[in-house]
Amino acid sequence: MNSVASNLFSINERIARAAERSNRTPDSIELVAVTKGRSVPEIHAALAAGVTNIGENRVQEAQQKYAAVNPVVDPARSGTADKTCQWHLVGHLQRNKVKAALDMFSLIHSVDSLRLLAEIARRSEAQARRMKVLIQVNTTRETSKYGLNSEDLLAFMADAQAYPTANIIGLMTMGQLSPSPDANRPAFALLRSLAEKVEAEGFPGVTMQYLSMGMTNDFEVAIEEGANLVRIGRAIFEPTVE
C-alpha cells in the first residue's frame, strides 16, 4: 500500500470513529482532498485510493490540473470504476474569477459577500444552471480570515433571495491554527447553531445540507460538532511521522 493509500485508510478510520461519537454513520461524512501545491500524479494516487472530491484553493492552480485529472479513469490501471471526480473550490474567490470557477467546480465553499453571490448568480443564469455554494462564516473573529460575521448571516440569507441561481446548500468555516484541536470546538459549534437558525427561518431555496469545517489538525472535533464535509490535505499527502 502506498503512502497516500495508507494515509487515507487511517483518515477514514478516524472519520468513522468521530462519526460514531456523534451518533452518525461514517458514510454521512464526505472527505474533500485538498490538493493545493500537489502534483497531478499525487492527485491520481488519491483518486486511485478512493477519493472522489478534490479541493483547490485557487482557480488558477485548479486550471493547471483540471484537464489532466478530469476524467481520471483507467480501470485497468487504477482498479476503480469509471467516474469523474467532483471539484470543490475551498479558498477565497475573486469576482473576476467566477466564470472560470463555474467551468470547473461543482461546489464553491467560500462565498463571503453579497457581491460575490450576485456575480455567481449572474454567471449561473447565463449558463442556465444553479451553482451550488456554501456561505463562509468567520466564527473565530480573526481579521486574517474571510467570511461573514455570525450576526450578519440571517440578514445575508434574506438578501440572497434575490439571487436564486446561486444555490445555497450550507455553511463553511475555518478554525484557528492551534496545537489543540479542542480550541476550535466553540467555532464549530457556533456554525452548527447558525445552520439551525437558518433552517428555522425557512428561506425558500436554501438548505443546510452541508457544514464544511475541519482540516488535518481538527477534523475529528469538527465531525463531533456536526461537520459532514471535511477538508484534508496534509494528512493525506505527507508521510506519516511515527
Side-chain angles (χ1 to χ4, degrees):
M1 186 182 294
N2 63 42
S3 61
V4 168
S6 177
N7 288 347
L8 278 166
F9 181 83
S10 174
I11 289 164
N12 285 326
E13 285 196 325
R14 292 167 64 188
I15 287 172
R17 290 194 295 268
E20 289 165 3
R21 289 194 295 272
S22 59
N23 298 312
R24 289 183 290 161
T25 59
D27 60 7
S28 69
I29 316 298
E30 293 188 41
L31 168 65
V32 178
V34 179
T35 55
K36 174 185 176 182
R38 303 298 170 180
S39 67
V40 168
E42 286 176 300
I43 296 172
H44 278 205
L47 292 165
V51 161
T52 57
N53 297 313
I54 297 297
E56 279 287 338
N57 286 61
R58 296 182 179 87
V59 171
Q60 300 96 311
E61 184 174 344
Q63 287 175 310
Q64 296 167 14
K65 302 171 182 176
Y66 184 82
V69 174
N70 230 29
V72 179
V73 190
D74 178 355
R77 173 176 58 81
S78 67
T80 61
D82 189 353
K83 64 180 181 295
T84 300
C85 61
Q86 300 294 308
W87 289 69
H88 296 227
L89 182 64
V90 299
H92 180 65
L93 176 60
Q94 297 173 310
R95 284 185 295 128
N96 65 354
K97 297 293 193 299
V98 167
K99 183 179 184 299
L102 265 61
D103 290 339
M104 294 180 290
F105 297 105
S106 61
L107 180 60
I108 296 172
H109 290 227
S110 51
V111 175
D112 58 1
S113 73
L114 203 62
R115 293 179 72 196
L116 176 58
L117 188 78
E119 181 63 13
I120 291 170
R122 185 178 74 83
R123 294 287 187 179
S124 298
E125 187 172 6
Q127 297 182 12
R129 64 182 289 198
R130 298 185 73 212
M131 181 67 203
K132 295 178 180 179
V133 303
L134 307 180
I135 306 305
Q136 183 173 357
V137 183
N138 186 344
T139 56
T140 63
R141 295 286 190 172
E142 293 171 276
T143 58
S144 60
K145 285 188 169 64
Y146 294 100
L148 303 178
N149 292 328
S150 57
E151 62 269 22
D152 297 330
L153 180 61
L154 293 182
F156 178 95
M157 291 294 186
D159 291 339
Q161 293 295 295
Y163 308 106
T165 50
N167 183 18
I168 298 172
I169 61 169
L171 305 178
M172 184 270 257
T173 199
M174 297 180 65
Q176 61 183 320
L177 289 174
S178 171
S180 170
D182 270 309
N184 284 321
R185 194 177 293 276
F188 297 150
L190 174 58
L191 197 74
R192 184 188 70 243
S193 173
L194 291 169
E196 291 168 354
K197 290 178 180 178
V198 171
E199 284 188 322
E201 290 291 327
F203 294 106
V206 172
T207 71
M208 290 291 103
Q209 178 182 353
Y210 288 117
L211 288 183
S212 170
M213 54 189 190
M215 300 171 71
T216 288
N217 288 339
D218 54 21
F219 70 88
E220 289 155 301
V221 169
I223 291 169
E224 290 168 6
E225 294 299 332
N228 56 7
L229 271 180
V230 292
R231 312 179 303 271
I232 301 176
R234 179 164 44 85
I236 294 173
F237 294 104
E238 294 186 3
T240 303
V241 177
E242 300 294 340

